[in-house]
Amino acid sequence: MLRPRILSRRRRPELRRRSFGIAPQAQSQLRYRWFLAGAGAWFAGWGVSTVVFSWLVVDVLQAPGRWVGAAQLSLSLPGLVLMLAGGAAADRLDPRRLLFAVQLAAALPTAALIAGVETGVLTLPLLLLYGAVLGSLQAFVLPSRDAMLSRVAGGNLMHAVAGHTVFQFGGLALGNALATQAEFTGASAVLILQALLVLAAALCALHLPRSAHGGRSGSSGEQPGGQPGRGSALADILAGLRTVARTPALRLPVLLVSAVGILFIGPFMVLFPLVVREEYGGGVLRLGIMWMTFPLGTISGSLAIQMLGGVRHKGRAILIALGCGACILLLLSSGLPFPLFILGAYAWGLAGAAFINSGRTMMQEAAPEAQRGRVLSAYQFGFFGCNPIGALLAGYAAEWFGPLKAIIAFGVPMLAVVASAALFSSAWRLR
């Protein structure tokens, strides 16, 4: 008589789903949609912050090149310090709860910045503090979201990765567009909108599935299969890095994305706003157009990848995308008219779509389940954590050579990186 009762209890979740008329496949699709909505809302808020932050530093405070680099450094430096810790936290804790808590907290620095603007005490130190706090929270959001992706992806992982990329960069583009209204409404109005967007992202996180281990761990140290324990967080991080180091499908994307963080993203955050100010007349409207164009290119490329059914030779796509991106960067350094500069930024985004979707899919496919947060945080560490190095170098290069010519100092080394990876690694053969 006990056996039927036990079976009925085991079947109870399935029966409950049926009673609400939600099949498991439909429930998975619904969770993926909540995942995309949360990603879109978070990155829309980040897009607002990117434009307004640059505008306040470059135009309102009229900061010189080295301080523009320092300001962008404050936004990205926490990723260098905390990104791997964020990955360990995503493995140790429930990523759903972590996403909710951290995104909820992200409204606080925005509220402080609004207070600074409204009271007329906006200073560079206040902006540096704002950037540092927001960047620290981002270091925990990104690994948690990446760790969640495979749980809501369904059967076609690359399709899910491309969808995530579309919503990520779509949110960025929307946020960039909304931020251009700061010229007419003032900074406070769009910063309030930013706070509402990150709060919406936090609410979306409540609809995501709980972690398989629910944030529980063993007694100490790394458990069998890579499961994090309650011992040293540093030991968990090092275990994830060892997995990356010994797996070519993980190691090569991480090394190449680190080059992107230094040679592409850092200069993009520093040199492009300075070019817009000094070569094309500046203003929040042109800054917003510039920030918005790259995401639009990435969205277009990601949608094309979805329509084509994915990328077969991912390693090859990564190298070709980086080579094309470096050539576009060199072309932009020639002093094109503003419409052609924007068109070049769009083409740069198309190349970025091939790189981002191929690299992310390789990482998701090769990452062990129990170490997914830590392994994927290594990728995000390269993408965002290495930005401070590029931002700092770009700030000084802008003062030495001028922002337009300084772009050359980053395009040429990327061509060298691509050639080295093609000749001396297995990147070209990776699928």
Side-chain angles (χ1 to χ4, degrees), residues 39 47 66 122 136-137 179 263 274 295 298-299 327 329 333 337 346 363-366 376 398 413:
R66 73 180 68 177
L122 181 66
S136 298
L137 296 172
L263 299 174
L274 288 172
T298 308
I299 293 166
C327 292
L329 207 58
S333 71
Y346 177 80
M363 295 293 295
Q364 289 279 352
E365 289 175 343
L376 296 176

Short mmCIF file of all heavy atoms in Angstrom, two decimals, residues 39 47 66 122 136-137 179 263 274 295 298-299 327 329 333 337 346 363-366 376 398 413:
data_model
loop_
_atom_site.label_atom_id
_atom_site.label_comp_id
_atom_site.label_asym_id
_atom_site.label_seq_id
_atom_site.Cartn_x
_atom_site.Cartn_y
_atom_site.Cartn_z
N ALA A 39 16.83 39.76 -19.49
CA ALA A 39 18.08 40.19 -20.12
C ALA A 39 17.87 41.50 -20.87
O ALA A 39 18.69 42.42 -20.79
CB ALA A 39 18.59 39.10 -21.07
N GLY A 47 22.24 50.20 -21.18
CA GLY A 47 22.40 51.07 -22.34
C GLY A 47 22.12 52.52 -22.00
O GLY A 47 22.82 53.43 -22.48
N ARG A 66 42.44 61.51 -20.36
CA ARG A 66 42.86 60.57 -19.32
C ARG A 66 41.76 60.33 -18.29
O ARG A 66 41.63 59.23 -17.75
CB ARG A 66 44.13 61.07 -18.65
CG ARG A 66 43.95 62.25 -17.73
CD ARG A 66 45.25 62.70 -17.09
NE ARG A 66 46.15 63.27 -18.10
CZ ARG A 66 47.33 63.80 -17.81
NH1 ARG A 66 47.75 63.82 -16.55
NH2 ARG A 66 48.08 64.32 -18.76
N LEU A 122 27.03 67.32 -8.85
CA LEU A 122 27.61 66.33 -9.74
C LEU A 122 29.11 66.61 -9.90
O LEU A 122 29.50 67.68 -10.35
CB LEU A 122 26.92 66.37 -11.11
CG LEU A 122 27.42 65.35 -12.13
CD1 LEU A 122 27.08 63.94 -11.68
CD2 LEU A 122 26.83 65.64 -13.50
N SER A 136 30.49 46.64 -10.14
CA SER A 136 30.59 45.51 -9.20
C SER A 136 29.34 44.62 -9.27
O SER A 136 29.43 43.39 -9.25
CB SER A 136 30.77 46.03 -7.77
OG SER A 136 31.96 46.78 -7.64
N LEU A 137 28.18 45.25 -9.36
CA LEU A 137 26.94 44.47 -9.46
C LEU A 137 26.87 43.71 -10.78
O LEU A 137 26.42 42.57 -10.83
CB LEU A 137 25.74 45.40 -9.30
CG LEU A 137 25.62 46.09 -7.94
CD1 LEU A 137 24.51 47.13 -7.94
CD2 LEU A 137 25.38 45.07 -6.84
N ALA A 179 18.27 57.10 -23.97
CA ALA A 179 19.18 58.02 -23.28
C ALA A 179 19.42 59.30 -24.06
O ALA A 179 19.76 60.33 -23.47
CB ALA A 179 20.50 57.33 -22.99
N LEU A 263 41.57 45.15 -26.78
CA LEU A 263 41.83 45.83 -28.05
C LEU A 263 40.58 46.36 -28.76
O LEU A 263 40.69 47.18 -29.67
CB LEU A 263 42.57 44.87 -29.00
CG LEU A 263 43.93 44.39 -28.49
CD1 LEU A 263 44.52 43.33 -29.44
CD2 LEU A 263 44.90 45.55 -28.33
N LEU A 274 35.24 60.14 -27.59
CA LEU A 274 36.13 61.27 -27.83
C LEU A 274 36.15 61.65 -29.31
O LEU A 274 36.20 62.84 -29.66
CB LEU A 274 37.55 60.93 -27.36
CG LEU A 274 37.74 60.86 -25.84
CD1 LEU A 274 39.12 60.31 -25.51
CD2 LEU A 274 37.53 62.22 -25.21
N PRO A 295 25.18 47.86 -31.38
CA PRO A 295 24.19 46.84 -31.02
C PRO A 295 23.25 46.47 -32.16
O PRO A 295 22.87 45.30 -32.30
CB PRO A 295 23.43 47.47 -29.85
CG PRO A 295 24.37 48.44 -29.26
CD PRO A 295 25.16 48.98 -30.41
N THR A 298 24.92 44.00 -34.26
CA THR A 298 24.98 42.70 -33.58
C THR A 298 23.63 42.00 -33.62
O THR A 298 23.56 40.78 -33.79
CB THR A 298 25.46 42.89 -32.13
OG1 THR A 298 26.67 43.64 -32.13
CG2 THR A 298 25.71 41.54 -31.47
N ILE A 299 22.55 42.77 -33.45
CA ILE A 299 21.20 42.18 -33.54
C ILE A 299 20.97 41.62 -34.94
O ILE A 299 20.48 40.49 -35.09
CB ILE A 299 20.14 43.25 -33.20
CG1 ILE A 299 20.25 43.65 -31.74
CG2 ILE A 299 18.74 42.73 -33.50
CD1 ILE A 299 19.47 44.91 -31.41
N CYS A 327 40.01 45.16 -39.35
CA CYS A 327 40.09 45.95 -40.59
C CYS A 327 39.10 47.11 -40.58
O CYS A 327 39.42 48.22 -41.03
CB CYS A 327 39.81 45.04 -41.79
SG CYS A 327 41.11 43.82 -42.10
N LEU A 329 38.07 48.64 -37.90
CA LEU A 329 38.60 49.61 -36.95
C LEU A 329 39.65 50.51 -37.63
O LEU A 329 39.65 51.73 -37.44
CB LEU A 329 39.23 48.87 -35.77
CG LEU A 329 39.27 49.59 -34.42
CD1 LEU A 329 37.88 49.99 -33.98
CD2 LEU A 329 39.95 48.71 -33.38
N SER A 333 39.57 54.78 -38.50
CA SER A 333 40.60 55.71 -38.06
C SER A 333 41.00 56.70 -39.16
O SER A 333 41.81 57.61 -38.91
CB SER A 333 41.84 54.95 -37.60
OG SER A 333 42.51 54.35 -38.70
N PRO A 337 33.45 60.69 -43.02
CA PRO A 337 32.30 61.51 -42.62
C PRO A 337 31.44 60.76 -41.61
O PRO A 337 31.43 59.52 -41.59
CB PRO A 337 31.55 61.74 -43.94
CG PRO A 337 32.57 61.51 -45.01
CD PRO A 337 33.52 60.49 -44.48
N TYR A 346 28.22 49.95 -37.59
CA TYR A 346 27.21 48.91 -37.83
C TYR A 346 27.87 47.64 -38.36
O TYR A 346 27.55 46.52 -37.91
CB TYR A 346 26.16 49.43 -38.82
CG TYR A 346 25.10 48.41 -39.19
CD1 TYR A 346 24.02 48.18 -38.34
CD2 TYR A 346 25.18 47.70 -40.38
CE1 TYR A 346 23.05 47.25 -38.67
CE2 TYR A 346 24.21 46.77 -40.72
CZ TYR A 346 23.15 46.55 -39.86
OH TYR A 346 22.19 45.63 -40.19
N MET A 363 31.40 27.86 -25.44
CA MET A 363 31.56 27.82 -23.99
C MET A 363 30.41 27.07 -23.31
O MET A 363 30.64 26.26 -22.42
CB MET A 363 31.65 29.25 -23.44
CG MET A 363 32.87 30.04 -23.89
SD MET A 363 34.43 29.41 -23.24
CE MET A 363 34.24 29.70 -21.48
N GLN A 364 29.18 27.35 -23.72
CA GLN A 364 28.03 26.68 -23.12
C GLN A 364 28.07 25.18 -23.36
O GLN A 364 27.75 24.38 -22.48
CB GLN A 364 26.72 27.27 -23.69
CG GLN A 364 26.39 28.68 -23.24
CD GLN A 364 25.73 28.71 -21.87
OE1 GLN A 364 25.38 27.68 -21.31
NE2 GLN A 364 25.57 29.91 -21.33
N GLU A 365 28.47 24.78 -24.56
CA GLU A 365 28.51 23.35 -24.90
C GLU A 365 29.61 22.62 -24.15
O GLU A 365 29.44 21.45 -23.77
CB GLU A 365 28.70 23.18 -26.41
CG GLU A 365 27.47 23.58 -27.23
CD GLU A 365 27.74 23.53 -28.73
OE1 GLU A 365 28.92 23.49 -29.15
OE2 GLU A 365 26.75 23.52 -29.50
N ALA A 366 30.75 23.27 -23.94
CA ALA A 366 31.89 22.58 -23.34
C ALA A 366 31.97 22.71 -21.82
O ALA A 366 32.71 21.97 -21.18
CB ALA A 366 33.19 23.11 -23.96
N LEU A 376 31.97 29.99 -17.29
CA LEU A 376 31.44 31.07 -18.11
C LEU A 376 31.85 32.44 -17.58
O LEU A 376 31.95 33.40 -18.35
CB LEU A 376 29.92 30.96 -18.19
CG LEU A 376 29.40 29.70 -18.89
CD1 LEU A 376 27.88 29.64 -18.84
CD2 LEU A 376 29.87 29.65 -20.33
N ALA A 398 44.84 58.44 -26.59
CA ALA A 398 44.07 59.58 -27.12
C ALA A 398 44.82 60.89 -26.89
O ALA A 398 44.79 61.79 -27.74
CB ALA A 398 42.69 59.64 -26.47
N PRO A 413 47.35 45.45 -33.54
CA PRO A 413 47.61 44.30 -32.66
C PRO A 413 46.55 43.20 -32.78
O PRO A 413 46.88 42.01 -32.64
CB PRO A 413 47.62 44.92 -31.26
CG PRO A 413 47.99 46.33 -31.47
CD PRO A 413 47.35 46.72 -32.77
#
